Structures are given as C-alpha cells and as structure tokens.
Amino acid sequence: MAYSLIDTHCHLDIIQEQGQDIVESLQKSASAGVKKIVQIGIDLPSSLKAREIADSFSTEDLKIHYTVGCHPTETHEFPNADQILAFAEKQLDHPRFTGIGEIGMDLYHDASTKKLQREIFSKFLEFSAKHQLPVVIHSRDAFEETYEALSEFKGKAFGVIHCFTYDYEAGRKFVDLGYYVSFSGIVAFKNATDIHEAAKKLPLNALLIETDSPFLAPPPHRGKRNDSSNMPYILERMFSLREETNVSVTEQLYSNSEKFINRKAYYA
C-alpha cells in the first residue's frame, strides 16, 4: 500500500554528518511516500542550518519545514538564547517556518542544570505564546518538571511532546493541556509497553508520528542510522495498536501533521 506521510521531527543535518547525503535521504523518503519533513533546530548553528535546508532542498514533491530551538542538553548554547529568539522572530513570515524547538527539560543527561534548563524553557515558551507558535518539546526523565512548566502557559502556548516516552496517564495530561503527542520508532520496539498503551488509548486527533532521524530507527532497522524513509514502519505499528481502520489512521495522522506544521493546535 502506498502511503502519504509527514515526518514531523527530523535532523537532516545530523544524518549528513553521519555520512548520508541530504539528497539521498530525501530521495529515499520520497520513494517511501513522505511528502513533508520538519527539520529541527537544537541550537543557533542548527537553527540557521534548518532554514538553509528548507530553502535549498524543498521540492514540489517533498517540502521541508523547519523549527528554531535550544535543546535542554545544549547548555553551552543557553547564553545564545536571545540571539536564537531574535533569529526566530525574523522567521515569522516564512511560509515553511513551523515553530520553536527543540526546547524542554532533560534530567537524564545532567540533572544538575535543572534550574537553568527551566529558565531557558520558560523564556522560549513565553516567546511562543506571544507569537502563537507551536513548541516542539523534548522531555526525558522530567515529566513533572515539563508538565509544571507547560501548565504555567496553559491556554497560551501549545505544540507537541516529541518522541513521547512516558505512559498513558502522562500523555493524557499533556493532551489535556493542549499538546499533540508524537510517537517515534520507539513505538515499534517490542518491550515499549507503556508507549504502546499510550499510542492505543490517546485520542487520535492529538497524535503525530516522527522518526527523530538519525536516531531511534524502528525494527527491522533498529540500531542503524534512521531517516524519514522508515516512516511506514512507524505508521504500520500504529495500525496494529489502534481500533480505527488503517485508512482512518493514515488520514488523521496526516491531517494532524498538516495542522501542526501550519501552526495550529489539535483542537483548533
């Protein structure tokens, strides 16, 4: 079956750094039915690169959107936060600028920076709320901290919890705050039972799928470099978890992704 897919979270620049040319990545992805890709910024250099990739490699068949962000583990970039936001403000009228991210909280790698992470996170959330831009949230081992920060902007900020790794109850709380929940190749991992339950039970109109390439390749490519051409494996795992028809799942996920990249919340 031929699919129409949108990869809502990809790092083409890192794929390139790991040895696969961007053109090759895009050719493979287009052959797999991918119509759009969101290229993610994680710091100032990658945010500038994201805009460059979107402008240089978008075609009629595969359009590239992009975000501008400051990843919570990129603490060396925190002093550049104002510069990143100034660049983001210049992107507001770009037709393929999607929003702000990655931003968020990560206590897995270094919990000692929690206070600083939270300050930067709130700074970017405030900007997003002001300009009604969706945020791309990275949250690892930091559910409570992430939820607390987002709750302060309830009704003001919106976006997506990318690469969701919590359980159904956590996912429900994020959805109730107005956030999409996005599933990566982890949803196809055999033992990811909490994530399976979330993908099965959360409302379909609030779900997205992504690769987070070049990371987290789904089976049968687990452990290898990932790219957007693996989106069908993630979609097919969603088929097996959902009660809706495969066609309904495909069409709803595509529609949700379109809304997200066009800066709209799932409830809009």
Side-chain angles (χ1 to χ4, degrees), residues 70-134:
C70 189
H71 195 285
T73 65
E74 302 296 304
T75 52
H76 62 282
E77 277 290 294
F78 288 179
N80 295 326
D82 288 337
Q83 196 174 348
I84 295 170
L85 289 173
F87 177 66
E89 192 156 16
K90 293 177 181 177
Q91 310 309 304
L92 294 176
D93 295 328
H94 193 293
R96 289 191 305 280
F97 175 54
T98 287
I100 299 298
E102 294 177 53
I103 59 172
M105 299 289 298
D106 188 315
L107 304 185
Y108 174 83
H109 289 98
D110 186 359
S112 70
T113 62
K114 179 168 73 171
K115 185 174 183 291
L116 188 56
Q117 285 187 42
R118 176 61 189 276
E119 289 173 3
I120 296 297
F121 189 18
S122 294
K123 188 182 190 77
F124 277 82
L125 285 171
E126 187 174 344
F127 178 89
S128 299
K130 176 183 177 181
H131 295 287
Q132 281 300 282
L133 295 168

Side-chain angles (χ1 to χ4, degrees), residues 155-256:
K156 300 175 184 177
F158 66 98
V160 58
I161 310 300
H162 115 87
C163 190
F164 182 77
T165 55
Y166 299 117
D167 58 16
Y168 165 73
E169 286 73 20
R172 183 75 250 184
K173 288 183 177 180
F174 284 133
V175 169
D176 289 346
L177 279 181
Y179 287 80
Y180 295 99
V181 169
S182 183
F183 294 95
S184 68
I186 296 175
V187 78
F189 292 2
K190 183 178 180 181
N191 297 323
T193 52
D194 282 348
I195 296 170
H196 297 162
E197 183 186 21
K200 181 178 182 178
K201 293 171 62 177
L202 289 171
L204 185 60
N205 71 323
L207 304 187
L208 303 176
I209 54 176
E210 61 172 91
T211 60
D212 197 14
S213 305
F215 314 106
L216 305 174
H221 301 293
R222 187 174 180 180
K224 299 178 182 178
R225 180 179 57 227
N226 197 11
D227 63 38
S228 299
S229 68
N230 287 325
M231 283 290 289
Y233 297 108
I234 301 169
L235 177 64
E236 288 165 2
R237 184 63 177 117
M238 296 295 287
F239 291 163
S240 70
L241 293 167
R242 302 296 304 190
E243 294 183 353
E244 299 91 346
T245 66
N246 292 355
V247 170
S248 295
V249 171
T250 303
E251 291 179 348
Q252 186 67 60
L253 289 174
Y254 193 92
S255 174
N256 297 348

